[in-house]
């Protein structure tokens, strides 16, 4: 692991004391002792429960809603229809101006007059208990007039297909084209054109804790408190205030422990919003917790793509041009406020761009359907872009009879080619593809495994090795959402404070969902200020208390949030030293803070405890003359130099195919990832492991399976297969560290790369295993049936 | 997903349980281990008026030797059956099959009686019972009848048990000296429902066998094998490939039921592969026995 | 709606509660007794988040009606935490970062403890098969396997992989 670099000219020297070390998470202890507090654990007086009657149809007119006996059922407090809530809740309209030409319809929080996806909430039933609410909900009769459901992305734009929103003119939400460098001419002159079609299955996050929210409105205070399992509290504050007709200052959002999120919980959901509107109407707290079936039907789905991709290749295997046509099927609405077009947009921004090429032609079509609502989920678009690109690279290698590593070495952007602007317009600050690939080949003992593969093939055992080079967007600037008009903050803030007894408290706008955000900020504080880790307390997730921030998404917690913490701690340290110099009448340069004590910076001799400085500053300011101590400092940070900070890595998969059963056994994964400065190696590695397994899911197991009538056939954990421990492999992780020069911390993001690369690595390993049979598969998930059919067994 | 309201009663004995059933017939269910019944209740797939909890009735518990065979109480859990010495002495199939059922927590509560009464096509015990020619004892207020398990399973969630009958016990008859039984299934995830499975019952002395396939059709499929010893003692170079072809051919004559991930043809193929692998296992272990 | 009184031992204390028969044990523990470590993840017995101990055995709390535990001994993470019987496991999970969001953790610890208590020998693949009963979305499982393996070694359980 490379040592963090030294800063010149500042007071802060990067020591290897805290940053770069694998500390256990202080805030994980309570999770282990049964003291976690998720939304459903919160007890409030007069708490009522809301459940939703949901449309069983993918597309239906709502002719009548008969509440009937439900109103008088035991424990019922109130019942609301979409029409009633429309009077107090503004509809959502998820478009962003920088996605030119994007169309989307207004989405009410509960369906009004028509339901457009199976699972759309139609009626809200509030009762004293969940059981009573469900009992009452069963008494409600809704007259639906089913309509034809649009479910096929390939025909969604055909004239014979019904238009879901007639006012929009067609079922096209957004399309985008890129044409740089003249692909037609390049391909006309190329020695080879290699083209493949890839299918990625619609799937979803399956957070173990269902989406949960409590809305608590105080009529006296005129304030709405929202306890929510969510990744972006300030975004919820902003959206809910505007949609519910409140001032921003009237809304407080509190995020305690969150039972898994992965991007599923970065959106505004109609049922959660309705819960808060209902709380306002009733003047008592109202809770909604999505159960497992509801989660499958109403959490956002993602990654439903048909990708055609081709490369124009020279005689000796150089990529000269890349062409991609990406078709994806979202739900009937664009999800608020991030929209449902970011995924496809990112795919055409990045597909193939880590390879040298002159011509790039891309087309992306994003169509509305009557399947579940759809938006950003961990690694947004990258699994598709990396999957198609890397799958195609291997197909090129097979066609040209080149080694997959050799062809990558020939075409990957050189490690010294940066800064670089890709044909698609992406700006890469620095990458290390070759170093990562070289190290990957080394740690996996690729040559040994190849020899073993050959030996085993003769015995009828078919193993495969697959490699993928990948990139991942992290640390987004305002280019991501802000310029589009979305009030989603790219900046983040940290308040660093020394308390009277000398302890450090950080208040931060990013949040904790288990990845270790609070721990890495504590490590930064400990190192930058010079105190022990256990003397740092980190508070996140309360918009009344924490600085305005963007929250946790796009792997921005370390790179953006961490930099804000770094700057705030640096400033606080300066103020503590200044206070020390005043108290001890000496030059600041003579002072340092080490292990929580003010020391002589040259001799290391202890001058006083920080608690002594605190005592004077807070309780004896009369001793400071005219000097005003300032022991609470807030700093904000937003990336500006680059629209995104790209990370890069290389990933490999070793697997064995049982060609008689069509099953795959994953043997091992290796990853060499460059995410810049690594603050806590264990936390980063565990993010990568979890991300890989989330990438394995849809490659082998996960799929939201829909019938032609728009009904999801498998909204339960028996029929929707999530990765479980027995089928998952061990994973070896290593790092190259190319810090970003755009921040002092140098950290890039790390949370999503594994998900981006795993599908490609598995696909390439599978096709490598089946190479003796001249079989290629590109249609995920790679189920036994697909493999058996490809092998001609059934 | 919360269950709808129901009345609950825990009868002290079988007679009381049957009396309660008679009074409520098709609007009541027996509750044994609950590992299949309670999910259905939670998801409101099933909304009975009355749940009759038979889970503590002593007469329905226990495993004991009987006439050279063994009798297994309906309430014997998957775990108990898998760990039972009496059962193990009778056949290793109980240990082997129980290991395939879900996970420890489920095996601690789920019962063989519940599994047979439910007749989920992917369940192991129905196929084990059929393979071993087990007899299923049903008791009603009017008396007792014992049904050959070969005739018990009619289809998905459908058995010969009448609404007013309680599945009381299962009798596994005395097997011949050369009796061997093996089970092999393919599930995409450890502990998950089988996509295909087979139970073999072979009389190596008489040279006959049966393979009972499960998870590929609504009810277990029985393939009788008069010539099984041909496979097991032959010098076929590739018993496995020959076996696969033979079973595939046999299964062609049956209507196989697709699931979400495997159509009929895939099911038939996988089943044939599994059966051929059991053949190889049997062949190998018989060869070892002959040489030792 | 008629309620039934059920008496049982909850985390070493005798308790009594009147519940509707339809209420599953997790909901009962959470609502009547504020046992927040009892969690719901799917309510159809697959995810394992609801795993607890009844009469010393692993049980899915969501597949148990509260009325069924009459006279039985129910233990949740709070109890295991109190007795210290899993303190080494908790420490290993902590050190190895085998817990992220924490939602699977109660069930995962109870399941892991059952494995360790009953294992005659251990191997990584056996550990994986045992915890295949519990869904975790955050960790990808490897850290959990590492933590359990570490404790297995510490508790003197024989490795089954030693001679490979």
């Amino acid at each position: 692991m490379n040592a963090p670099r030294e800063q010149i000219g500042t007071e802060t020297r990067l020591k290897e004391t805290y940053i770069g070390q694998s500390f256990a998470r202080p805030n994980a202890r309570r999770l282990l002792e049964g003291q976690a507090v998720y939304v459903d654990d919160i007890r409030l007086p007069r708490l009522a429960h809301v459940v939703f009657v949901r449309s069983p149809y993918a597309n239906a007119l709502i002719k009548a809603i008969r509440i009937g006996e439900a109103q008088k059922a035991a424990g019922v407090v109130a019942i609301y229809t979409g029409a009633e809530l429309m009077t107090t809740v503004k509809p959502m309209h998820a478009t962003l101006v920088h996605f030119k030409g994007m169309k989307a319809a207004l989405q009410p929080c509960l369906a009004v007059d028509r339901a457009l996806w199976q699972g759309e909430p139609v009626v809200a039933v509030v009762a004293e208990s969940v059981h009573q609410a469900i009992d009452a909900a069963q008494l409600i009769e809704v007259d639906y007039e089913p309509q034809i459901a649009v479910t096929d992305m390939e025909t969604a734009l055909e004239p014979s297909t019904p238009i879901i929103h007639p006012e929009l003119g067609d079922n096209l939400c957004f399309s985008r084209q890129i044409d740089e460098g003249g692909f037609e001419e390049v391909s006309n002159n190329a020695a080879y054109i290699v083209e493949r079609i890839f299918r990625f299955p619609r799937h979803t996050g399956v957070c173990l804790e269902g989406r949960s929210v409590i809305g608590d409105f105080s009529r006296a205070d005129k304030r709405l408190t929202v306890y929510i399992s969510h990744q972006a509290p300030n975004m919820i504050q902003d959206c809910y205030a505007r949609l519910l007709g409140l001032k921003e200052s009237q809304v407080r959002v509190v995020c305690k422990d969150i039972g898994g999120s992965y991007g599923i919980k970065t959106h505004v959901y109609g049922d959660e919003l309705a819960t808060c509107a209902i709380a306002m109407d009733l003047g008592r707290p109202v809770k909604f917790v999505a159960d497992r079936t509801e989660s499958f039907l109403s959490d956002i789905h993602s990654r439903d793509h048909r990708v055609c991709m081709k490369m124009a290749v020279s005689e000796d295997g150089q990529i000269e041009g890349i062409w991609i046509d990406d078709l994806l099927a979202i739900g009937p609405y664009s999800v608020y406020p991030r929209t449902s077009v970011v995924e496809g947009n990112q795919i055409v921004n990045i597909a193939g761009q880590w390879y040298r090429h002159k011509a790039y032609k891309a087309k992306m079509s994003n169509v509305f359907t009557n399947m579940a609502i759809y938006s950003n989920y961990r690694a947004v678009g990258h699994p598709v872009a990396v999957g198609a690109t890397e799958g195609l690279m291997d197909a090129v290698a097979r066609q040209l009879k080149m080694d997959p590593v050799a062809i990558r070495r020939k075409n990957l952007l050189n490690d010294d080619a940066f800064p670089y602007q890709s044909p698609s317009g992406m700006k890469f600050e620095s990458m290390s593809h070759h170093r990562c690939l070289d190290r990957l080949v080394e740690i996996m003992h690729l040559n040994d495994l190849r020899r073993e593969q050959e030996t085993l093939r003769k015995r009828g055992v078919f193993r495969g090795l697959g490699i993928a080079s990948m990139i991942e967007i992290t640390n987004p600037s305002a280019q991501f959402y802000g310029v589009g008009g979305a009030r989603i903050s790219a900046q983040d803030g940290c308040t660093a404070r020394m308390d009277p007894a000398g302890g450090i408290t950080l208040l931060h706008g990013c949040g904790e969902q288990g990845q270790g955000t609070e721990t890495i900020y504590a490590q930064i504080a400990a190192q930058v200020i010079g105190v022990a880790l256990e003397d740092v307390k980190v508070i996140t997730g309360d918009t009344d208390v924490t600085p305005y921030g963007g929250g946790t998404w796009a792997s921005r917690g370390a790179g953006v949030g961490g930099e804000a913490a770094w700057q705030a701690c640096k400033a606080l340290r300066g103020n503590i030293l200044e206070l020390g110099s005043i108290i001890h009448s000496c030059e600041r340069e003579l002072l340092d803070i080490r292990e929580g004590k003010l020391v002589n910076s040259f001799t290391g001799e202890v001058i006083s405890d920080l608690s002594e400085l605190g005592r004077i500053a807070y309780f004896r300011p009369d001793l400071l003359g005219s000097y005003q101590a300032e022991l609470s400092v807030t700093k904000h940070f937003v990336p500006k130099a680059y629209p995104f900070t790209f990370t890069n890595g290389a990933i490999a998969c070793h697997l064995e195919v049982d060609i008689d059963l069509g099953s795959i056994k994953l043997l091992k994964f290796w990853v060499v990832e460059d995410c810049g400065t690594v603050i806590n190696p264990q936390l980063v590695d565990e993010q990568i492991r979890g991300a890989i397994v989330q990438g394995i899911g849809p490659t082998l197991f996960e799929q939201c399976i829909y019938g032609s009538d728009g009904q999801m056939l498998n909204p339960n954990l028996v029929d929707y297969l999530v990765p479980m421990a027995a089928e998952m492999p061990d994973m070896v992780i290593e790092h190259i560290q190319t810090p970003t020069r755009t921040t002092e911390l140098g950290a890039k993001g790390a949370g999503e790369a594994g998900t981006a690369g795993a599908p490609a690595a598995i696909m390439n390993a599978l096709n490598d295993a089946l190479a003796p049979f001249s079989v290629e598969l590109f249609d995920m998930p790679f189920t036994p049936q697909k493999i058996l059919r490809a092998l001609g067994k059934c | 997903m919360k269950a709808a309201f129901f009345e609950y009663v825990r009868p002290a004995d079988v007679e009381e349980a049957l009396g309660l059933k008679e009074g409520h017939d098709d609007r009541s269910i027996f509750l044994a281990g609950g590992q299949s019944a309670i999910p259905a209740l939670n998801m409101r797939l099933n909304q009975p008026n009355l749940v009759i909890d038979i889970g503590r009735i002593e007469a329905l518990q226990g495993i004991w030797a009987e006439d050279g065979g063994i009798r297994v109480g309906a309430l014997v859990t998957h775990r108990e059956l898998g760990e039972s010495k009496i059962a193990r002495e009778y056949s290793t199939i109980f240990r082997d099959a129980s290991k395939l059922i879900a996970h420890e927590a489920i095996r601690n509560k789920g019962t063989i009686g519940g599994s047979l009464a439910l007749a989920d096509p992917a369940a192991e015990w129905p196929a084990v019972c059929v393979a071993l020619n087990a007899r299923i004892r049903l008791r009603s207020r009017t008396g007792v009848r014992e049904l050959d398990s070969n005739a018990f399973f009619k289809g998905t969630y459908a058995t010969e048990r009448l609404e007013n009958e309680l599945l009381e016990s299962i009798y596994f008859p005395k097997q011949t000296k050369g009796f061997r039984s093996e089970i092999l299934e393919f599930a995409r995830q450890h502990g998950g429902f089988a996509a295909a499975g087979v139970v073999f019952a072979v009389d190596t002395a008489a040279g006959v066998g049966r393979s009972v396939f499960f998870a590929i059709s609504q009810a277990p499929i029985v393939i009788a094998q008069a010539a099984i010893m041909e496979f097991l003692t032959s010098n076929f170079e590739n018993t496995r490939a020959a076996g696969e072809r033979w079973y595939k051919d046999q299964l062609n004559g049956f209507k196989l039921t697709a699931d979400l991930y495997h159509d009929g043809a895939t099911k038939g193929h996988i089943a044939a592969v599994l059966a051929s692998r059991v053949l190889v296992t049997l062949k190998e272990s018989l060869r070892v026995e002959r040489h030792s | 709606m008629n309620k039934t009184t059920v008496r049982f031992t909850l985390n070493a204390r005798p308790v009594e509660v009147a519940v509707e028969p339809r209420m599953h044990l997790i909901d009962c523990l959470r609502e009547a007794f504020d046992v927040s470590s009892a969690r719901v993840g799917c309510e159809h017995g697959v995810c394992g988040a609801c795993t607890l101990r009844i009469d010393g055995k692993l049980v899915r709390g969501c597949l148990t009606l509260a009325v069924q535990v009459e006279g039985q001994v129910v233990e949740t993470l709070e109890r295991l935490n109190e007795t210290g019987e899993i303190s080494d496991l908790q420490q290993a999970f902590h050190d190895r970062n085998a817990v992220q969001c924490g939602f699977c953790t109660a069930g995962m610890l109870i399941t892991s403890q059952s494995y360790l208590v009953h294992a005659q020998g251990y191997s990584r693949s056996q550990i994986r098969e045992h915890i295949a009963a519990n869904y975790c979305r955050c960790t990808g499982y490897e850290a959990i396997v590492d933590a359990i393996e570490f404790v297995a070694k510490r508790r003197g359980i024989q490795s089954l992989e030693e001679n490979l």
Side-chain angles (χ1 to χ4, degrees), chain B residues 266-288:
Chain B
T266 303
K267 292 259 191 192
H269 170 83
I270 294 176
V273 169
L274 293 174
S276 68
R277 288 185 179 180
V278 175
L279 273 186
V280 171
T281 304
L282 282 169
K283 183 178 180 189
E284 198 42 48
S285 70
L286 285 175
R287 189 185 66 82
V288 167

Side-chain angles (χ1 to χ4, degrees), chain B residues 132-235:
Chain B
L132 270 50
N133 289 312
R135 297 203 287 276
I136 296 171
R137 177 173 285 174
L138 304 161
R139 185 178 290 278
S140 69
R141 293 192 83 187
T142 52
V144 173
R145 54 188 190 126
E146 275 208 0
L147 296 182
D148 185 340
S149 54
N150 284 279
F152 185 73
F153 303 99
K154 299 198 302 195
T156 305
Y157 306 139
T159 69
E160 286 293 338
R161 182 184 71 90
L162 300 171
E163 252 327 298
N164 67 344
E165 285 179 314
L166 185 131
L167 197 156
E168 190 176 80
S169 65
I170 308 97
Y171 179 66
F172 295 89
K174 179 176 180 162
Q175 305 287 344
T176 59
K177 201 150 177 277
F179 171 75
R180 296 288 301 274
S181 189
E182 298 282 339
I183 183 170
L184 187 63
E185 74 178 35
F186 173 63
R188 293 184 64 199
Q189 294 179 305
H190 179 81
F193 284 100
V198 65
V199 181
F200 268 64
V202 178
D203 182 345
T204 56
V208 296
R210 288 144 57 86
S211 1
V212 182
F213 291 90
F214 60 96
I216 63 172
S217 56
Q218 294 206 26
I221 288 175
V222 180
I223 310 263
Q225 290 154 290
I228 194 169
M229 294 312 286
E230 215 178 283
F231 278 116
L232 295 178
T233 54
S234 73
N235 287 321

Side-chain angles (χ1 to χ4, degrees), chain A residues 135 138 719 722 785 789, chain B residues 1 44 189-190 261 263 266:
Chain A
D135 290 343
Q138 231 179 318
D719 298 321
V722 288
Q785 177 160 280
R789 280 182 178 168
Chain B
M1 285 155 58
R44 299 202 179 199
Q189 294 179 305
H190 179 81
Y261 299 102
D263 67 13
T266 303

Side-chain angles (χ1 to χ4, degrees), chain A residues 329-344:
Chain A
I330 64 172
Y333 292 108
S334 174
V335 173
Y336 192 75
R338 293 168 195 261
T339 79
S340 299
V341 309
V342 174
E343 186 183 271

Side-chain angles (χ1 to χ4, degrees), chain A residues 50-102:
Chain A
V50 63
V51 305
F52 295 92
V53 174
R54 294 180 183 273
S55 170
Y57 297 105
N59 190 352
L61 301 177
I62 300 172
K63 303 303 274 182
I65 299 175
R66 280 189 295 282
I67 308 295
E69 290 304 304
Q71 196 75 63
K72 291 182 248 135
V76 169
V77 174
I79 298 177
Y80 300 84
T81 64
E84 283 158 1
L85 288 173
M86 273 240 295
T87 62
T88 53
V89 185
K90 295 191 181 63
M92 298 176 274
H93 191 220
T95 57
L96 292 174
V97 298
H98 64 314
F99 296 128
K100 299 209 179 328
M102 171 185 178

Side-chain angles (χ1 to χ4, degrees), chain A residues 146-227:
Chain A
Q147 310 290 297
I148 297 172
V150 177
T151 57
D152 180 8
M153 63 170 81
E154 307 270 7
T155 58
L157 298 177
E158 272 169 26
S160 56
T161 302
I163 298 174
I164 297 173
H165 303 283
E167 73 274 18
L168 297 181
D170 58 28
N171 288 327
L172 183 69
C173 173
F174 179 57
S175 73
R176 184 147 170 241
Q177 317 222 14
I178 299 176
D179 195 352
E180 290 295 322
F183 180 81
E184 271 72 26
E185 195 186 327
V186 164
S187 63
N188 285 340
N189 296 325
Y192 303 95
I193 306 287
V194 182
E195 179 173 1
R196 295 291 187 276
I197 300 176
F198 302 87
R199 288 199 153 277
F200 300 85
R202 180 178 259 256
H203 58 285
T204 184
V206 200
C207 310
L208 192 52
E209 179 208 23
R211 293 182 297 107
S212 312
V213 66
I214 296 175
D216 184 9
F217 184 72
S218 161
R219 286 176 177 151
D221 290 336
K222 296 192 180 56
R223 296 204 82 213
L224 172 69
T225 303
V226 182
Y227 301 91

